[in-house]
Each structure stands twice: as C-alpha cells, then as structure tokens.
Amino acid sequence: MPDPAQGAPTAGAPARPAAAGAQATSTGSAASNAPVVPEASGTHVPVADPHGVAAGRHLPVQGAPARPDHAPVSPAAAQGAPGTGTPAAGVRFDRRDRSEASDGGAPVQDAPHTPDTPGAPPAHQPAQPDEYPLQAPDPRMAGEPAQAGPAPAVCVACRAGRVDDDGYCENCGHAQPRERDHMEQECGPLAAVTDRGLRHHRNEDAFAVGTTALPDGSPVSVAVVCDGVSSATRPDEASLAASRAANASLLAALPRGTHPQQAMHDAILAASEAVNALAGEQPAGAREHAPQQNAPACTIVGAVVTAGLLVVGWVGDSRAYWIPVDRSAPPARLTEDDSWAAQMVAAGLMGEAEAYADHRAHAITGWLGADAYDLEPHTAAFKPDRPGVVVVCTDGLWNYAESADEMAEVVPVDAAERPLHAGQVLVGHALDGGGHDNVTVALVPFPAVPQGAGSA
C-alpha cells in the first residue's frame, strides 16, 4: 500500500467568486467561478455522514495516504520537501501486457489409402493428384469435434492467427480491439462516450447513465463516470463495478423520494462496497505470488439533474463542470480534486500553476477500494438560474481542458441539444491532444427533460 501523505494540514477551501441569480448548497468543496451563490452560509442538505462530510471543505487529514495514479508519493514528497518524489516502498505499477507465440507442431498427415477390394465397385472415387488440393489440417484443431456456429475470429493484425478467449492472437500475440476500447451511449436527453486513448493497452474507465422520475413525476437524469487506478490490480473491473453500482443505487433511490444529495452520498458508498467486494474475489494464492499488487481501486464522479436542482458527488480526481448554454454567465468547475496538487493549493503551500506543474500533481489522495483510507464522499448541490450542460469526465479529458473556461471553449454550443455529438467532439479533442490516458465524458443537460428528448 502506498506510504501515507503527511504534512499537509487540513484547511478550508478558499472562497470562489459566484455569479448572482443562482443558489447553491454544498458538502465537499466549492465550485470555481460557479454561477451560483450559497443559499446560506454553512447550510446544506443533511446527509448521513459519520466523517463530517457536511462540515465543508474536505482535505485529507494528516497521515492520509496518497494513492498513486500516474506517480507515487513518498512521505517526504507529500510534505513538499525538495529532492523527493522517489516511489514509495511497496508501490508497484500494474502494467500488464501480453504476447503469446503461436502453437507449434507439424501438419497432421493424411491416413494411407487402402485399395478397394478387386472386382468390387469403389466405395468412393478419390481425387486426382492435381485436382482440388487440400490444405493440411490445423494441428490445434486435431481431435476437436466440428461445432456449429460462427468461425473463430481472425487477428486484425496478422490476418492469420485465431483469437483466443482472452482477446489475443494465438499467432502474433496482438491484443484485439475490445468492446470497451470505444463505447457510446445515448439515454434520452443525456449521452456518454469513452475511449481507450492512444497510449494505454486497455480502457480502465467506465460510465453509466440513466433517467427516471421523482415521486411527483418530474424527470431526473443520472450520470456516473469512474476511472480505474492504474497502479492497482484489475482497475478496469473496479471502474465498471463502481459505475454500475452507483447508477443502480441512484435509479432505485430517487423514485422513492430520497433527496438527490442524500441519494448521491449513498450511491458512492454503494460503489465503494462493490469495489471492495472485488478484493475478496482474488484467488487464494494471488497475493502470495504478487504481493506488490494493491486492491482494485478507482475514482468516481456523478451528477443528478432534476428540473431545478443539480447535485454532484465525487471521490478522487474525476471532475464535473457547469457550462451555460448561452455562455452569458461564466462556466464553473463543480468539484475539487482529491489530489496532491489540490492539497498543496488548499493548504496555501503552492500556487495552482506551480502545484499542477509538479510531477506529483496527479497522485490522488482519495479513491474507492478496500485499502482506501477513511472514505469521505463529497457532495454538492446547486440551483443554476439558466439552462446549461453538466460535463462529467475523467482526467483523460480535463488534462486537455483543465480550467472551466478552457472546457467551455471545447464544448460545442449545441451540447444540450446534441449531447452524443458533443461527447464525440470532446473525446476527439483529447485524442488530438495526444490521448495519453483513457478518455470518458458524459453530458447532462440542465434542467432535466423527459426521456426521449435530446439528439436525434
């Protein structure tokens, strides 16, 4: 498990300017340049939070470990001491790739021909030497009964080898495109897109979207985005389990009348339980043979949009942004990262530009997983005063449009009407920028509209 991050005192979040004409309540952290204003100082929707989520800005307490995403953080590095940044003891990066050689063996020879009985008509007429030449049987298929159904998939790289059950070519070892390499989904008025990117061998992001109705019949939209922690084992499974669990929890709780902010808090806890369960599924001898592997882990960010309320919740460094449709008000970032850089900025030890330029910037200090330290789901509620779109994404996108203004520049102006197209544009923007990470984005129009509306 990574060493604990020390030396960053718990501090309140710096106040951020907000545009008039909107209201907000929050637990967790405040939005940057948000077009919302607090309903009342310190007010919030009560949630069942034994760790004090509702108390305001949440920074990891002293001694909280920093979970490496792209780089580990040592205790000295967490204090900001010069000359540090050496990988923490016991931390290993999970960079599994595979290449398999083709099966060997000589072709199976045809059985010798037995002449027919003299004077009797031949049971069959053999082909002449130069007629219908037959290819030698594949030794890998010898003894296997013929089965009905589609032919085995052929490798997209060498065009010769058969693809095994794990998705690799038995001839050249090339990994075949997986279903999760690129996925798109449109669900009524909202949509999501995910892509493996250009550098990773698999997609460790996942999303889940859905729509339902509140008890009064008004529509509500739900989007959840998760990013697997690459230094942990099975990060792709963690993100998928978390996104599905959170989405199911929200879609079950909201029609029952649970307040959206409470529903979001509970959904993150449900996602955490789903990821924790994966650690128990590890084979008995796996820990002995690979003790350096951490438990499955991921980050999470979600949004619930109703006719008059916008709720976001998160753990980690996946983000949510608010983009007004007419751009008449400033855009806003609605979440604060659980990361080394955000911790340094909030503690007043570094400026934002300096902190995010540091190689330790993206080491996360909050995540979902069996080895997470004292999980504290962050939630925040807003009441925007104009139509807009909520952008829910992983760092594979916001690394190429970090500030709210930069994100607003790349979000198409018709994103609320054509969310799927907007998602495709945003993923393309990240790929054009280098595609160094998996990219996932969901777009949710505000206010919520009935299912069936949206892009055609």
Side-chain angles (χ1 to χ4, degrees), residues 131-390:
E131 291 184 312
Y132 313 114
L134 300 177
Q135 184 177 357
D138 187 339
R140 294 170 296 186
M141 302 297 292
E144 295 183 6
Q147 299 179 355
V154 176
C155 176
V156 299
C158 68
R159 300 291 181 182
R162 186 178 66 169
V163 179
D164 65 16
D165 293 338
D166 292 333
Y168 291 82
C169 176
E170 294 180 344
N171 180 51
C172 68
H174 187 88
Q176 305 301 294
R178 300 173 175 87
E179 180 183 7
R180 288 179 63 179
D181 284 356
H182 184 93
M183 298 180 68
E184 301 178 355
Q185 183 179 354
E186 191 170 23
C187 183
L190 67 156
V193 180
T194 184
D195 192 272
R196 186 183 70 183
L198 304 179
R199 302 295 182 91
H200 285 250
H201 72 284
R202 65 180 174 187
N203 191 354
E204 296 170 359
D205 286 359
F207 68 79
V209 294
T211 59
T212 185
L214 300 179
D216 63 1
S218 60
V220 57
S221 299
V222 171
V224 179
V225 167
C226 296
D227 185 354
V229 177
S230 295
S231 59
T233 183
R234 298 150 62 198
D236 53 332
E237 296 181 33
S239 62
L240 185 62
S243 62
R244 288 178 172 176
N247 186 63
S249 178
L250 288 168
L251 294 179
L254 293 168
R256 294 197 302 260
T258 305
H259 189 280
Q261 193 167 2
Q262 179 69 57
M264 178 62 75
H265 180 272
D266 296 344
I268 294 177
L269 295 181
S272 176
E273 292 176 1
V275 178
N276 292 349
L278 294 176
E281 297 174 3
Q282 186 172 345
R287 178 69 64 177
E288 178 182 352
H289 296 296
Q292 76 281 3
Q293 291 186 346
N294 298 313
C298 68
T299 68
I300 186 170
V301 61
V304 173
V305 173
T306 71
L309 185 67
L310 161 60
V311 171
V312 294
W314 73 98
V315 173
D317 63 350
S318 294
R319 294 180 176 180
Y321 293 82
W322 161 257
I323 312 295
V325 166
D326 58 6
R327 308 300 200 265
S328 59
R333 199 178 97 196
L334 306 178
T335 59
E336 288 287 351
D337 300 342
D338 289 320
S339 69
W340 181 90
Q343 192 172 356
M344 294 298 104
V345 173
L349 301 178
M350 285 185 173
E352 188 169 354
E354 180 186 7
Y356 280 97
D358 194 283
H359 69 279
R360 297 163 290 184
H362 291 281
I364 58 174
T365 56
W367 62 90
L368 305 183
D371 58 356
Y373 177 85
D374 202 17
L375 175 65
E376 294 185 5
H378 309 294
T379 63
F382 305 91
K383 293 183 177 178
D385 64 344
R386 67 201 70 209
V389 63
V390 185

